[in-house]
Amino acid sequence: MPNLYFSKKYYMTTKSILTKSSLSFLETYLNNASPTGYESNGQKLWMDYLKPYVDTFITDTYGSAVGVINPGAKYKVVIEGHSDEISWYVNYITAEGLIYVIRNGGSDHQIAPSKRVNIHTKKGIVKGVFGWPAIHTRNRGKEESATLHNIFIDCGCSSKDEVEKLGVHVGCVITYPDEFMILNGNKFVCRAIDNRMGGFMIAEVARLLKENKKKLPFGLYITNSVQEEIGLRGAEMITNTIKPNVAIVTDVCHDTTTPMIEKKIEGDLQMGKGPVIAYAPAVHNTLRDLIVDTAEANKIPFQRHATSRATGTDTDAFAYSNGGVASALISLPLRYMHTTVEMVHSEDVENVIKLIYESLLKIENNDTFSYYK
Protein backbone atom coordinates (compact mmCIF):
# COMPACT_ATOMS: atom_id res chain seq x y z
CA MET A 1 0.00 0.00 0.00
CA PRO A 2 1.29 3.50 -0.78
CA ASN A 3 2.26 5.96 1.91
CA LEU A 4 -0.39 8.55 1.11
CA TYR A 5 1.06 11.22 3.39
CA PHE A 6 3.04 12.82 0.59
CA SER A 7 0.34 12.67 -2.07
CA LYS A 8 -2.35 14.00 0.28
CA LYS A 9 -0.09 16.82 1.44
CA TYR A 10 0.72 17.80 -2.14
CA TYR A 11 -2.88 17.61 -3.28
CA MET A 12 -4.11 19.75 -0.41
CA THR A 13 -1.51 22.48 -0.91
CA THR A 14 -1.53 22.93 -4.71
CA LYS A 15 -4.00 23.72 -7.46
CA SER A 16 -3.29 20.68 -9.59
CA ILE A 17 -4.67 18.87 -12.62
CA LEU A 18 -3.51 15.75 -10.80
CA THR A 19 -6.05 13.98 -8.62
CA LYS A 20 -5.66 12.17 -5.31
CA SER A 21 -6.06 8.93 -7.23
CA SER A 22 -3.40 9.81 -9.78
CA LEU A 23 -0.93 10.89 -7.08
CA SER A 24 -1.57 7.68 -5.17
CA PHE A 25 -0.85 5.73 -8.35
CA LEU A 26 2.31 7.75 -8.97
CA GLU A 27 3.63 6.94 -5.51
CA THR A 28 2.86 3.23 -5.86
CA TYR A 29 4.26 3.11 -9.40
CA LEU A 30 7.54 4.83 -8.52
CA ASN A 31 8.07 2.71 -5.42
CA ASN A 32 7.63 -0.51 -7.38
CA ALA A 33 10.82 -2.01 -8.81
CA SER A 34 10.90 -2.42 -12.62
CA PRO A 35 14.51 -3.13 -13.61
CA THR A 36 15.34 -3.58 -17.28
CA GLY A 37 14.20 -7.03 -18.37
CA TYR A 38 11.91 -7.39 -15.34
CA GLU A 39 9.30 -4.70 -15.94
CA SER A 40 6.20 -6.90 -15.73
CA ASN A 41 5.00 -5.96 -12.22
CA GLY A 42 5.24 -2.26 -13.00
CA GLN A 43 3.50 -2.76 -16.33
CA LYS A 44 0.61 -4.51 -14.59
CA LEU A 45 0.23 -1.57 -12.19
CA TRP A 46 0.31 0.83 -15.13
CA MET A 47 -2.27 -1.09 -17.17
CA ASP A 48 -4.60 -1.40 -14.18
CA TYR A 49 -4.51 2.39 -13.76
CA LEU A 50 -4.92 3.08 -17.48
CA LYS A 51 -7.71 0.56 -18.08
CA PRO A 52 -10.69 2.93 -17.54
CA TYR A 53 -9.32 5.40 -20.08
CA VAL A 54 -8.60 3.16 -23.10
CA ASP A 55 -10.49 0.78 -25.36
CA THR A 56 -8.01 -2.10 -25.43
CA PHE A 57 -4.41 -3.11 -24.79
CA ILE A 58 -1.52 -4.48 -26.82
CA THR A 59 1.45 -6.23 -25.22
CA ASP A 60 4.43 -7.81 -26.88
CA THR A 61 6.88 -10.65 -26.26
CA TYR A 62 9.24 -8.64 -24.06
CA GLY A 63 6.62 -6.70 -22.10
CA SER A 64 6.02 -3.33 -23.73
CA ALA A 65 2.42 -2.31 -22.99
CA VAL A 66 0.11 -0.14 -25.10
CA GLY A 67 -3.29 1.25 -24.21
CA VAL A 68 -5.25 2.01 -27.36
CA ILE A 69 -8.01 4.54 -27.99
CA ASN A 70 -9.87 4.13 -31.31
CA PRO A 71 -8.07 0.89 -32.26
CA GLY A 72 -9.84 0.64 -35.61
CA ALA A 73 -8.52 3.95 -36.94
CA LYS A 74 -6.11 3.77 -39.86
CA TYR A 75 -4.08 6.81 -38.81
CA LYS A 76 -2.04 6.05 -35.68
CA VAL A 77 -0.43 8.40 -33.18
CA VAL A 78 1.85 7.21 -30.38
CA ILE A 79 2.59 8.96 -27.10
CA GLU A 80 5.39 7.11 -25.35
CA GLY A 81 7.49 6.76 -22.23
CA HIS A 82 9.67 3.90 -21.02
CA SER A 83 9.03 1.74 -17.99
CA ASP A 84 12.40 0.31 -16.97
CA GLU A 85 14.89 1.47 -14.36
CA ILE A 86 18.63 0.96 -14.06
CA SER A 87 19.82 -1.86 -11.82
CA TRP A 88 22.63 -4.34 -11.18
CA TYR A 89 23.19 -8.04 -11.82
CA VAL A 90 24.89 -10.47 -9.47
CA ASN A 91 28.07 -11.33 -11.38
CA TYR A 92 30.33 -13.17 -8.92
CA ILE A 93 30.01 -14.52 -5.38
CA THR A 94 33.23 -14.90 -3.38
CA ALA A 95 34.04 -17.83 -1.11
CA GLU A 96 33.48 -15.42 1.80
CA GLY A 97 29.93 -14.62 0.64
CA LEU A 98 30.48 -11.16 -0.86
CA ILE A 99 28.79 -10.28 -4.13
CA TYR A 100 30.33 -8.43 -7.08
CA VAL A 101 28.09 -6.88 -9.70
CA ILE A 102 27.81 -5.72 -13.29
CA ARG A 103 25.52 -3.03 -14.66
CA ASN A 104 22.04 -3.52 -16.07
CA GLY A 105 21.76 -0.12 -17.75
CA GLY A 106 23.70 2.98 -16.75
CA SER A 107 24.00 2.33 -13.01
CA ASP A 108 26.38 4.73 -11.27
CA HIS A 109 29.10 2.95 -9.28
CA GLN A 110 30.06 6.13 -7.45
CA ILE A 111 26.80 6.32 -5.49
CA ALA A 112 26.80 2.63 -4.54
CA PRO A 113 28.92 2.46 -1.32
CA SER A 114 26.71 2.32 1.81
CA LYS A 115 23.48 2.02 -0.21
CA ARG A 116 20.89 -0.58 0.78
CA VAL A 117 19.75 -2.96 -1.96
CA ASN A 118 17.06 -5.49 -2.80
CA ILE A 119 18.27 -8.68 -4.48
CA HIS A 120 15.39 -10.20 -6.44
CA THR A 121 15.24 -14.01 -6.18
CA LYS A 122 12.66 -16.73 -6.76
CA LYS A 123 12.36 -16.96 -2.97
CA GLY A 124 11.59 -13.25 -2.69
CA ILE A 125 13.59 -10.15 -1.83
CA VAL A 126 16.96 -10.66 -0.14
CA LYS A 127 18.24 -7.55 1.61
CA GLY A 128 21.84 -6.41 1.29
CA VAL A 129 24.14 -3.40 1.42
CA PHE A 130 26.93 -2.09 -0.73
CA GLY A 131 29.79 -2.29 1.75
CA TRP A 132 32.80 0.05 1.85
CA PRO A 133 35.97 0.13 4.00
CA ALA A 134 35.81 2.52 6.94
CA ILE A 135 37.69 5.81 6.57
CA HIS A 136 40.07 4.71 9.37
CA THR A 137 41.29 1.71 7.39
CA ARG A 138 41.79 3.19 3.96
CA ASN A 139 45.20 4.09 2.59
CA ARG A 140 45.56 7.74 3.56
CA GLY A 141 48.29 8.32 1.04
CA LYS A 142 46.20 7.11 -1.85
CA GLU A 143 42.46 7.50 -1.34
CA GLU A 144 40.77 4.86 -3.48
CA SER A 145 37.55 5.79 -5.25
CA ALA A 146 34.60 3.52 -5.87
CA THR A 147 34.83 1.76 -9.21
CA LEU A 148 32.80 -0.91 -10.97
CA HIS A 149 35.52 -3.40 -9.99
CA ASN A 150 35.75 -2.76 -6.24
CA ILE A 151 32.16 -2.19 -5.10
CA PHE A 152 30.54 -5.23 -3.50
CA ILE A 153 27.35 -6.29 -1.76
CA ASP A 154 27.19 -7.82 1.71
CA CYS A 155 23.97 -9.66 2.58
CA GLY A 156 25.13 -10.78 6.01
CA CYS A 157 26.53 -14.14 4.96
CA SER A 158 29.96 -15.62 5.61
CA SER A 159 30.18 -18.07 2.72
CA LYS A 160 29.09 -18.56 -0.88
CA ASP A 161 26.98 -21.53 0.20
CA GLU A 162 25.11 -19.37 2.72
CA VAL A 163 24.39 -16.76 0.02
CA GLU A 164 23.10 -19.38 -2.37
CA LYS A 165 20.82 -20.87 0.29
CA LEU A 166 19.06 -17.49 0.40
CA GLY A 167 18.23 -17.96 -3.30
CA VAL A 168 20.89 -15.60 -4.61
CA HIS A 169 22.76 -16.72 -7.72
CA VAL A 170 24.63 -15.19 -10.65
CA GLY A 171 22.09 -13.33 -12.77
CA CYS A 172 19.82 -12.16 -9.97
CA VAL A 173 18.85 -8.53 -10.51
CA ILE A 174 19.49 -5.90 -7.83
CA THR A 175 17.61 -2.65 -7.24
CA TYR A 176 17.64 0.16 -4.70
CA PRO A 177 14.66 0.40 -2.31
CA ASP A 178 14.62 4.24 -2.08
CA GLU A 179 11.01 5.48 -2.16
CA PHE A 180 8.99 8.48 -3.26
CA MET A 181 9.02 11.74 -1.33
CA ILE A 182 8.19 15.40 -1.89
CA LEU A 183 10.66 18.18 -1.08
CA ASN A 184 9.59 21.74 -0.35
CA GLY A 185 6.03 21.06 -1.42
CA ASN A 186 6.67 20.84 -5.18
CA LYS A 187 9.68 18.61 -5.95
CA PHE A 188 9.02 14.94 -6.63
CA VAL A 189 12.01 12.78 -5.59
CA CYS A 190 12.58 9.07 -6.13
CA ARG A 191 14.77 6.59 -7.92
CA ALA A 192 13.46 5.61 -11.39
CA ILE A 193 11.72 8.89 -12.17
CA ASP A 194 13.73 8.22 -15.33
CA ASN A 195 11.40 7.30 -16.81
CA ARG A 196 8.41 5.92 -15.00
CA MET A 197 7.36 9.53 -14.68
CA GLY A 198 6.96 9.36 -18.45
CA GLY A 199 4.61 6.41 -18.13
CA PHE A 200 2.67 8.34 -15.50
CA MET A 201 2.41 11.46 -17.66
CA ILE A 202 1.11 9.69 -20.75
CA ALA A 203 -1.43 7.83 -18.59
CA GLU A 204 -2.61 11.20 -17.26
CA VAL A 205 -3.04 12.42 -20.84
CA ALA A 206 -5.34 9.45 -21.47
CA ARG A 207 -7.26 10.24 -18.27
CA LEU A 208 -7.79 13.87 -19.28
CA LEU A 209 -8.97 12.88 -22.76
CA LYS A 210 -11.54 10.53 -21.23
CA GLU A 211 -12.72 12.89 -18.50
CA ASN A 212 -12.98 15.83 -20.90
CA LYS A 213 -14.83 13.63 -23.44
CA LYS A 214 -12.44 14.42 -26.27
CA LYS A 215 -12.96 12.46 -29.47
CA LEU A 216 -9.77 12.01 -31.47
CA PRO A 217 -9.85 11.59 -35.27
CA PHE A 218 -7.08 8.95 -35.11
CA GLY A 219 -6.02 5.93 -33.12
CA LEU A 220 -4.02 6.88 -30.03
CA TYR A 221 -1.45 4.38 -28.77
CA ILE A 222 -0.36 5.15 -25.19
CA THR A 223 2.90 3.22 -25.15
CA ASN A 224 5.03 2.21 -22.18
CA SER A 225 8.12 0.60 -23.67
CA VAL A 226 10.59 -1.71 -21.95
CA GLN A 227 14.39 -1.92 -22.14
CA GLU A 228 15.16 1.69 -23.04
CA GLU A 229 18.05 1.81 -20.59
CA ILE A 230 20.05 -0.76 -22.54
CA GLY A 231 19.59 0.70 -26.03
CA LEU A 232 15.96 1.61 -26.87
CA ARG A 233 15.17 -2.06 -27.45
CA GLY A 234 11.53 -2.07 -26.39
CA ALA A 235 10.68 0.88 -28.61
CA GLU A 236 12.44 -0.79 -31.54
CA MET A 237 10.14 -3.77 -31.15
CA ILE A 238 6.82 -2.09 -30.40
CA THR A 239 7.04 0.50 -33.19
CA ASN A 240 7.16 -2.35 -35.70
CA THR A 241 4.04 -3.81 -34.10
CA ILE A 242 2.08 -0.54 -34.07
CA LYS A 243 3.43 0.96 -37.31
CA PRO A 244 2.48 4.51 -36.28
CA ASN A 245 2.28 7.63 -38.42
CA VAL A 246 3.33 9.97 -35.60
CA ALA A 247 5.17 9.52 -32.28
CA ILE A 248 5.47 12.01 -29.42
CA VAL A 249 8.00 10.66 -26.94
CA THR A 250 8.55 11.90 -23.41
CA ASP A 251 11.67 11.25 -21.36
CA VAL A 252 13.90 13.18 -18.98
CA CYS A 253 16.80 15.53 -19.61
CA HIS A 254 19.37 17.17 -17.34
CA ASP A 255 18.72 20.20 -15.19
CA THR A 256 22.06 21.89 -15.79
CA THR A 257 21.94 24.41 -12.94
CA THR A 258 23.53 22.17 -10.30
CA PRO A 259 27.29 22.15 -9.56
CA MET A 260 29.81 20.45 -11.87
CA ILE A 261 27.71 20.68 -15.04
CA GLU A 262 29.05 22.75 -17.94
CA LYS A 263 26.22 24.64 -19.62
CA LYS A 264 28.30 25.26 -22.73
CA ILE A 265 28.28 21.50 -23.23
CA GLU A 266 24.96 20.37 -21.73
CA GLY A 267 22.82 23.44 -22.48
CA ASP A 268 20.99 25.81 -20.14
CA LEU A 269 17.98 23.94 -18.75
CA GLN A 270 16.27 24.23 -15.38
CA MET A 271 13.48 22.38 -13.64
CA GLY A 272 10.50 24.62 -12.91
CA LYS A 273 10.86 26.47 -16.22
CA GLY A 274 8.74 24.10 -18.26
CA PRO A 275 8.96 21.11 -20.61
CA VAL A 276 12.00 20.86 -22.88
CA ILE A 277 11.38 20.59 -26.62
CA ALA A 278 14.20 18.85 -28.48
CA TYR A 279 15.98 19.87 -31.66
CA ALA A 280 17.72 16.95 -33.35
CA PRO A 281 17.87 15.14 -36.71
CA ALA A 282 15.40 12.52 -35.43
CA VAL A 283 12.90 15.23 -34.47
CA HIS A 284 10.52 16.04 -37.32
CA ASN A 285 10.52 19.79 -37.91
CA THR A 286 6.81 20.11 -38.72
CA LEU A 287 5.72 18.08 -35.71
CA ARG A 288 8.09 19.98 -33.42
CA ASP A 289 6.76 23.30 -34.72
CA LEU A 290 3.20 22.12 -34.02
CA ILE A 291 4.23 21.41 -30.42
CA VAL A 292 5.99 24.77 -30.05
CA ASP A 293 2.98 26.60 -31.51
CA THR A 294 0.70 24.67 -29.14
CA ALA A 295 2.80 25.66 -26.13
CA GLU A 296 2.75 29.31 -27.12
CA ALA A 297 -0.99 29.32 -27.87
CA ASN A 298 -1.80 27.73 -24.50
CA LYS A 299 0.75 29.77 -22.53
CA ILE A 300 2.61 26.62 -21.46
CA PRO A 301 6.18 27.54 -20.52
CA PHE A 302 8.83 25.58 -22.39
CA GLN A 303 12.56 25.36 -22.99
CA ARG A 304 14.59 24.30 -26.04
CA HIS A 305 17.42 21.79 -26.21
CA ALA A 306 19.73 20.90 -29.10
CA THR A 307 20.73 17.24 -28.80
CA SER A 308 23.17 16.98 -31.72
CA ARG A 309 23.35 13.66 -33.61
CA ALA A 310 20.96 11.60 -31.47
CA THR A 311 18.48 12.27 -28.71
CA GLY A 312 19.53 9.16 -26.79
CA THR A 313 15.84 8.41 -26.20
CA ASP A 314 13.15 6.21 -27.74
CA THR A 315 12.54 9.08 -30.18
CA ASP A 316 15.42 7.73 -32.25
CA ALA A 317 13.89 4.25 -32.37
CA PHE A 318 10.49 5.52 -33.51
CA ALA A 319 11.81 8.09 -35.98
CA TYR A 320 13.93 5.64 -37.96
CA SER A 321 11.45 2.75 -38.04
CA ASN A 322 8.94 1.65 -40.66
CA GLY A 323 10.43 3.83 -43.38
CA GLY A 324 10.36 6.90 -41.13
CA VAL A 325 7.86 8.01 -38.48
CA ALA A 326 7.30 11.72 -37.76
CA SER A 327 8.62 11.95 -34.20
CA ALA A 328 9.20 14.57 -31.52
CA LEU A 329 10.60 14.64 -28.00
CA ILE A 330 9.21 16.50 -25.00
CA SER A 331 11.52 16.12 -22.00
CA LEU A 332 11.12 16.65 -18.28
CA PRO A 333 14.05 18.52 -16.64
CA LEU A 334 15.55 16.33 -13.93
CA ARG A 335 18.31 16.64 -11.35
CA TYR A 336 20.65 13.81 -10.35
CA MET A 337 19.87 11.38 -13.18
CA HIS A 338 20.64 7.70 -12.52
CA THR A 339 20.85 8.22 -8.77
CA THR A 340 18.36 7.26 -6.06
CA VAL A 341 17.32 10.90 -5.56
CA GLU A 342 16.21 11.90 -9.05
CA MET A 343 14.27 15.14 -8.70
CA VAL A 344 11.69 16.93 -10.87
CA HIS A 345 9.41 19.92 -10.38
CA SER A 346 5.72 19.10 -10.07
CA GLU A 347 4.77 22.05 -12.29
CA ASP A 348 6.94 20.65 -15.08
CA VAL A 349 5.20 17.29 -14.74
CA GLU A 350 1.82 18.97 -15.12
CA ASN A 351 2.99 21.13 -18.02
CA VAL A 352 4.35 18.11 -19.93
CA ILE A 353 0.95 16.47 -19.51
CA LYS A 354 -0.80 19.64 -20.71
CA LEU A 355 1.54 20.06 -23.69
CA ILE A 356 1.08 16.49 -24.93
CA TYR A 357 -2.68 16.71 -24.38
CA GLU A 358 -3.08 20.01 -26.24
CA SER A 359 -0.74 18.90 -29.05
CA LEU A 360 -2.84 15.79 -29.69
CA LEU A 361 -5.88 18.01 -30.18
CA LYS A 362 -4.03 19.80 -33.02
CA ILE A 363 -3.17 16.66 -35.00
CA GLU A 364 -5.49 15.73 -37.86
CA ASN A 365 -5.93 12.18 -39.12
CA ASN A 366 -4.81 13.14 -42.63
CA ASP A 367 -1.73 15.10 -41.61
CA THR A 368 1.20 13.32 -43.27
CA PHE A 369 3.82 15.65 -41.77
CA SER A 370 5.65 15.79 -45.07
CA TYR A 371 9.17 17.15 -44.76
CA TYR A 372 8.36 19.66 -47.50
CA LYS A 373 4.97 20.69 -46.16
Side-chain angles (χ1 to χ4, degrees):
M1 293 295 291
N3 175 4
L4 297 180
Y5 167 74
F6 292 117
S7 59
K8 284 181 179 177
K9 183 179 179 182
Y10 174 80
Y11 184 78
M12 288 187 297
T13 57
T14 62
K15 293 182 179 179
S16 173
I17 64 168
L18 306 180
T19 67
K20 291 179 182 178
S21 175
S22 60
L23 285 164
S24 176
F25 164 67
L26 173 62
E27 189 170 349
T28 303
Y29 187 47
L30 286 176
N31 288 347
N32 174 76
S34 291
T36 301
Y38 300 85
E39 301 94 341
S40 60
N41 287 338
Q43 293 290 63
K44 290 174 184 176
L45 289 171
W46 184 80
M47 288 190 287
D48 284 345
Y49 179 74
L50 190 63
K51 187 175 181 179
Y53 312 125
V54 298
D55 298 320
T56 190
F57 282 97
I58 298 170
T59 57
D60 71 6
T61 305
Y62 278 86
S64 290
V66 186
V68 187
I69 298 172
N70 300 337
K74 183 177 179 181
Y75 198 81
K76 301 176 182 179
V77 176
V78 162
I79 56 174
E80 193 260 7
H82 73 81
S83 61
D84 57 321
E85 67 180 287
I86 57 171
S87 57
W88 302 97
Y89 278 122
V90 173
N91 186 48
Y92 171 65
I93 306 171
T94 71
E96 296 76 24
L98 299 176
I99 298 168
Y100 285 82
V101 299
I102 57 172
R103 291 184 174 111
N104 184 20
S107 302
D108 188 346
H109 56 274
Q110 292 196 52
I111 71 162
S114 81
K115 292 296 297 181
R116 301 182 186 197
V117 298
N118 288 336
I119 306 172
H120 298 259
T121 79
K122 287 186 176 180
K123 295 182 178 181
I125 297 294
V126 173
K127 296 290 185 179
V129 297
F130 271 109
W132 194 245
I135 189 171
H136 318 73
T137 65
R138 300 202 296 267
N139 186 333
R140 293 163 181 80
K142 183 183 178 182
E143 187 73 32
E144 189 169 7
S145 300
T147 72
L148 188 60
H149 306 294
N150 65 15
I151 58 174
F152 61 90
I153 290 173
D154 186 336
C155 52
C157 299
S158 57
S159 69
K160 180 178 180 180
D161 183 61
E162 195 177 351
V163 171
E164 291 178 338
K165 284 181 179 177
L166 293 175
V168 177
H169 55 75
V170 170
C172 283
V173 72
I174 304 157
T175 60
Y176 296 114
D178 300 65
E179 295 193 337
F180 176 76
M181 67 176 179
I182 293 177
L183 289 182
N184 197 30
N186 58 12
K187 310 300 189 305
F188 295 158
V189 178
C190 196
R191 59 168 228 296
I193 286 178
D194 173 15
N195 180 38
R196 283 209 290 285
M197 190 63 79
F200 170 74
M201 293 188 297
I202 58 176
E204 288 300 280
V205 172
R207 177 180 65 81
L208 291 175
L209 289 169
K210 182 75 170 183
E211 291 178 355
N212 294 332
K213 299 180 180 179
K214 297 295 183 182
K215 301 295 183 183
L216 299 174
F218 48 77
L220 181 63
Y221 291 71
I222 302 102
T223 303
N224 213 8
S225 299
V226 297
Q227 299 196 22
E228 188 272 350
E229 295 290 355
I230 50 92
L232 322 183
R233 300 308 186 192
E236 287 180 359
M237 292 182 277
I238 200 65
T239 186
N240 287 299
T241 299
I242 299 170
K243 300 189 184 305
N245 300 94
V246 175
I248 299 175
V249 174
T250 184
D251 208 320
V252 295
C253 63
H254 300 288
D255 176 320
T256 62
T257 62
T258 57
M260 298 185 288
I261 297 179
E262 177 55 70
K263 291 182 181 179
K264 286 184 284 187
I265 297 172
E266 301 293 343
D268 187 5
L269 303 169
Q270 184 174 348
M271 66 177 185
K273 290 192 173 182
V276 176
I277 298 174
Y279 287 69
V283 173
H284 195 282
N285 295 342
T286 307
L287 179 58
R288 184 201 58 235
D289 289 347
L290 179 149
I291 293 169
V292 170
D293 292 345
T294 299
E296 291 176 339
N298 290 276
K299 295 181 171 53
I300 300 171
F302 69 94
Q303 305 172 78
R304 305 177 200 261
H305 184 213
T307 68
S308 190
R309 296 178 62 187
T311 70
T313 73
D314 284 339
T315 311
D316 302 330
F318 278 93
Y320 302 129
S321 70
N322 298 292
V325 174
S327 301
L329 172 61
I330 302 172
S331 297
L332 179 67
L334 174 141
R335 288 183 173 178
Y336 320 124
M337 192 180 296
H338 286 200
T339 73
T340 59
V341 291
E342 294 181 334
M343 180 189 300
V344 295
H345 200 298
S346 61
E347 289 181 7
D348 291 336
V349 172
E350 297 198 33
N351 280 322
V352 170
I353 295 167
K354 290 175 185 176
L355 184 52
I356 296 174
Y357 173 85
E358 295 294 345
S359 295
L360 290 176
L361 300 181
K362 299 296 183 183
I363 296 174
E364 302 293 337
N365 67 351
N366 61 350
D367 196 334
T368 60
F369 289 101
S370 167
Y371 184 80
Y372 296 103
K373 186 172 179 180

